[in-house]
Amino acid sequence: MIPLTINGKTYRVDVPPDTPLLWVLRDHLGLSGTKFGCGAGLCGACTIHVNGRAEFSCQLPAGDARGKKIVTIEGISHDHPVKRAWISEEVPQCGYCQPGQILRAAALLAEHPSPTDRQIDEGMSPNLCRCGAYPRIRKAVRRAAGEKGGRK
Amino acid sequence: MSGKAHKPEFACLTRRDLLKAGVALGGGLVLGFHLPFPGAAEGDAGKGAIFAPNAFLRIGSDGTVTMVLGKSEMGQGVYTSLPMILAEELMCDWKKVRVTSAPVDPAYDHTLFGSQVTGGSTSVRTEWERLSKAGATAREMLVAAAAREWKVDPKGCRAENGRVTGAGGKSLPYGKLAAKAAKLPVPKDAPLKGPGKPVLLGKRVPRLDTPAKVAGTAVFGIDVRLPGMRTALVARPPVFGGKVARLDAAKAKAVPGVKDVVQVPSGVAVIATDFWSAKKGREALEVAWEDGEGATLSTAGLRERYAALAATAGMVARKEGDVEAALAKAAKRLSGVYEVPYLAHAPMEPENCVVDLHADRCEIWTGTQMQTVDRDAAARVAGLKKDQVTLHTQFLGGGFGRRANPAADFVTEAVHVAKAAGGAGPVRVVWTREDDIKGGFYRPMWYSKLDAGLDAEGALSAWRHTIVGQSILAGTPFEAGIGKDGIDRSSVEGAKDLPYAVPNLLVDLHSPKVPVPVLWWRSVGHSHTAFVVECFLDEAARAAGKDPVAFRLPLMSGHPRAKGVLELAARKAEWGTPPPKGRGRGIAVAESFGSFVAQVAEVEAQADGRIRVRRVVCAIDCGKIVNPNTIEAQMESGIVFGLTAALHGQITLARGRVEQGNFDDYPLLRLDETPEIEVHIVESVEKPGGVGEPGVPPVAPAVANALFDATGIRLRTLPMTPEALLSARKRA
């Protein structure tokens, strides 16, 4: 049994410790907001927060997540400035990558409450969007920064 | 903590647990709630849908209007644009509109294709009339119900914002009228509102699916969970058309969590309790494959074969005048070979399908663009009647044509797996990214050979375009799209009907058979023809010593709307003024899917060979506007999608094997490569055109033309990689 702290709750999961946290979230805990896109840390669809930093959950073995503070899209409040900005800018198209984008943006703003355009471009580039919502992601990150700084 | 210990197995969870977790039991949860069909009087809706005058809408006693849509939401915004069209006529309260996905039923058949399909950028174009009528019919019945209630002439009553109002300030909401309206006869020809100020159409109405997609609660096919569901991964042959020669499943079966290993026509399925166990099981499989005829395929070999074909006469797609004679007497001749590679769609959500197969019925949950084809194919595999198969369409994590497969590959495979597993409960087949990238059904590889002639005044006098590439339609249920002349129109669209008047013109086609599965890929034929035509036209303009816009305009008098967007894009991009330092500017225009799009790209060529696209100005004329926000989003989307193909995308083959597998070797455009994009929409009263695809075609040629403007280097092969630019620089 591996104890995991996710969105402030403690879970105990019976999985091989090499199971990526992504699949623990999706297949064992029913937290399906975190998405599978590449399984190789290349697309960011599975982005979560690990101790406040954006990480690829497909690359994090469950055994290594023990004792760390995990936050998923389900743990980001609906009035979080990033979620609000995402709605105001109508960012999502197919929407599949957006939970990961939102987690990435929230971590970026926590680190850089008033990011430069370059910091936004670099900070958001680990996350792919096949629909090409990038122009709106840029705007939404700027909006969220303007609204509230980078509060987590 | 132990008291609150989480149950790790989904099978242990109750239905309430699942719903609490935001997971739809039985799928179908789209927005708000799932409404049983057809014409259910009660159910999950709670308040009940008591007025269902047609297949497209239900009105409950609480005034909730549920729109039942046969089109799939894959990002293009149909779950907002189609409800807007319907609500405009229904005159309901937009805040009370909900959307649910339709079952497979002829009522939702595509009005042109004859089965349920989302594709070809046709949803708004083909549904406008049908949904407007559906809305008007319901509105008339609600008005009639109110008039009857008040014992007045319906002509004195009017509908607005979900209420019917009569003389003397009498007013009733739709919810209160629904039960009474349901008892009235359905009028055959309910009048449409007529011209007048629209309430919704043309406005920036926020997308209905945004909140769920931001919350992370939107249910995609891959998110569907059923009690006791297994997950399967399929090992498929490394060469298209390959077969299992020898299989040893012992090691795979020994992996904890693996429940079964079964052979299916497409390969070997490892069925496990969860994805990770299935993946480890698949890695432990010992399979020897028999490669078959595909084993000799290589990209280099195909290029050689296509080049040889291009040197011979093909099937004539269009012929005007005498192109040979005109070329012979041209004052100036130019020629060029353009090539584009196979491309994978690579939707962010990899292919997946959940199947619950029983002796007398089969339920399927997936994200698909072709419900009827998939349902019928599933029935054949399952040995069931079509009406014994239920398909629940989920949100699609991208489609781009990949989920519109006449071969129904990911659905039939999942039914095969469920069948082979033999009633072991519901099975979900999930593809990995490598499965997706290597899985075929690509945009075909295309080879184009062109010759053009200019007369003494520098006017375009001859244009010969030979196209070589696989037919997408051949061998599919849509083969009727191939004319008696043997021409698959999707192979030559945009090349045959280019928007320029040329007195002597020949477009011919070779459709070689190659054992690589191909499919429509966002903008289909236009994804290659716009690149070829617009670049070669740019070459002709340069050869004539003319400005690319000035060269085009006199040739476009027969295509005023294409000309209109070309002029608009040029104006908005300050065409004719020098571009910012270090940048080149290029332009391209294309008519596709009933719309006209022109784009101007501003491009920098870096010392390391990287092409940086800094700005794209886009002008679109798509006729009547439903939602400008959706149009802008789709233009942005098409431009990014097109830039991925222009700069990065290529699927290559060696020894029959696909050489790419994930986003490291099949990269997509990232945010830091994304240009500033501005979109200008032409105000128009023309009939609506598509918006999902038309943003794609012009961007690759606009970039290639801009690169030439910046560097004098003409890249005629996609993608325009740093290596390609560096080696062209060396040659220059």
Side-chain angles (χ1 to χ4, degrees), chain B residues 81 128 131 143 229 287 300 349 379 403 457 471 511 608 643 658:
Chain B
S81 51
W128 190 299
L131 293 182
V143 167
M229 184 180 80
V287 195
E349 179 196 15
R403 290 184 155 98
E457 282 78 48
S471 165
S511 302
D608 63 1
L643 284 175
V658 174

Side-chain angles (χ1 to χ4, degrees), chain A residues 35 42 90 93 131 134 138, chain B residues 206 213 223 637 669-670 674:
Chain A
K35 302 302 184 195
L42 297 166
E90 296 244 13
Q93 291 190 27
C131 299
Y134 300 134
R138 274 187 185 134
Chain B
K213 287 177 174 177
D223 300 328
S637 176
L669 201 81
R670 290 184 182 270
T674 302

Side-chain angles (χ1 to χ4, degrees), chain A residues 2-7 9 11-13 15-36 39 45-51 53-74 103, chain B residues 225 274-276:
Chain A
I2 302 170
L4 295 171
T5 306
I6 300 163
N7 302 330
K9 280 165 66 178
Y11 300 85
R12 295 170 73 85
V13 292
V15 299
D18 71 337
T19 308
L21 187 61
L22 167 66
W23 294 107
V24 175
L25 295 170
R26 291 186 55 81
D27 281 358
H28 298 273
L29 303 180
L31 295 168
S32 59
T34 306
K35 302 302 184 195
F36 166 55
C46 68
T47 302
I48 56 164
H49 289 176
V50 180
N51 291 340
R53 293 181 59 90
E55 304 263 1
F56 302 122
S57 64
C58 76
Q59 298 298 296
L60 179 64
D64 293 357
R66 190 194 306 254
K68 291 176 177 156
K69 200 178 143 216
I70 308 295
V71 176
T72 69
I73 188 72
E74 291 87 354
L103 273 286
Chain B
R225 295 283 182 287
D274 59 278
F275 176 95
W276 191 246

Side-chain angles (χ1 to χ4, degrees), chain B residues 53-126:
Chain B
N54 50 57
F56 306 103
L57 69 103
R58 311 274 175 264
I59 300 178
S61 56
D62 61 350
T64 298
V65 179
T66 303
M67 302 195 177
V68 186
L69 299 180
K71 297 297 175 191
S72 306
E73 177 58 70
M74 48 191 173
Q76 83 282 41
V78 278
Y79 275 12
T80 305
S81 51
L82 297 183
M84 284 173 70
I85 291 169
L86 204 159
E88 182 68 43
E89 285 294 333
L90 179 58
M91 296 182 173
C92 57
D93 178 356
W94 180 252
K95 290 194 291 296
K96 293 194 168 176
V97 171
R98 304 286 180 271
V99 176
T100 191
S101 63
V104 187
D105 188 282
Y108 307 102
D109 279 356
H110 194 291
T111 56
L112 302 175
F113 304 157
S115 65
Q116 202 171 319
V117 177
T118 308
S121 299
T122 56
S123 295
V124 162
R125 290 188 279 164
T126 59

Side-chain angles (χ1 to χ4, degrees), chain B residues 599-674:
Chain B
Q599 290 165 4
V600 175
E602 286 181 8
V603 161
E604 267 172 51
Q606 295 184 336
D608 63 1
R610 284 178 61 185
I611 296 165
R612 302 304 306 254
V613 182
R614 298 299 186 188
R615 180 184 182 213
V616 175
V617 176
C618 173
I620 174 166
D621 175 354
C622 57
K624 275 197 285 188
I625 294 165
V626 176
N627 188 333
N629 181 51
T630 308
I631 298 168
E632 287 160 4
Q634 285 311 297
M635 290 304 104
E636 291 159 9
S637 176
I639 287 164
V640 171
F641 200 88
L643 284 175
T644 287
L647 301 176
H648 299 307
Q650 59 180 332
I651 293 290
T652 55
L653 295 156
R655 296 185 304 109
R657 283 147 175 84
V658 174
E659 295 184 294
Q660 292 73 27
N662 209 319
F663 296 126
D664 47 355
D665 46 21
Y666 191 76
L668 308 182
L669 201 81
R670 290 184 182 270
L671 192 139
D672 62 359
E673 303 169 280
T674 302

Side-chain angles (χ1 to χ4, degrees), chain B residues 15 19 22-37 44-45 66-69 71 73 79 98-104 212 217-226 354 363-367 371 390-396:
Chain B
R15 182 170 190 274
L19 290 172
V23 179
L25 183 76
L29 178 71
V30 179
L31 293 168
F33 52 79
H34 176 61
L35 190 63
F37 183 85
D44 290 353
T66 303
M67 302 195 177
V68 186
L69 299 180
K71 297 297 175 191
E73 177 58 70
Y79 275 12
R98 304 286 180 271
V99 176
T100 191
S101 63
V104 187
T217 54
V219 178
F220 297 86
I222 204 167
D223 300 328
V224 171
R225 295 283 182 287
L226 302 178
V354 175
E363 273 192 87
I364 296 169
W365 291 260
T366 195
Q371 287 83 352
T390 310
L391 190 148
H392 308 275
T393 303
Q394 306 299 310
F395 275 121
L396 281 64

Side-chain angles (χ1 to χ4, degrees), chain B residues 290-316:
Chain B
E290 189 188 304
D291 288 344
E293 58 156 345
T296 57
L297 281 177
S298 72
T299 298
L302 282 173
R303 284 183 63 191
E304 233 171 82
R305 183 176 158 197
Y306 285 15
L309 275 173
T312 66
M315 299 174 284
V316 175

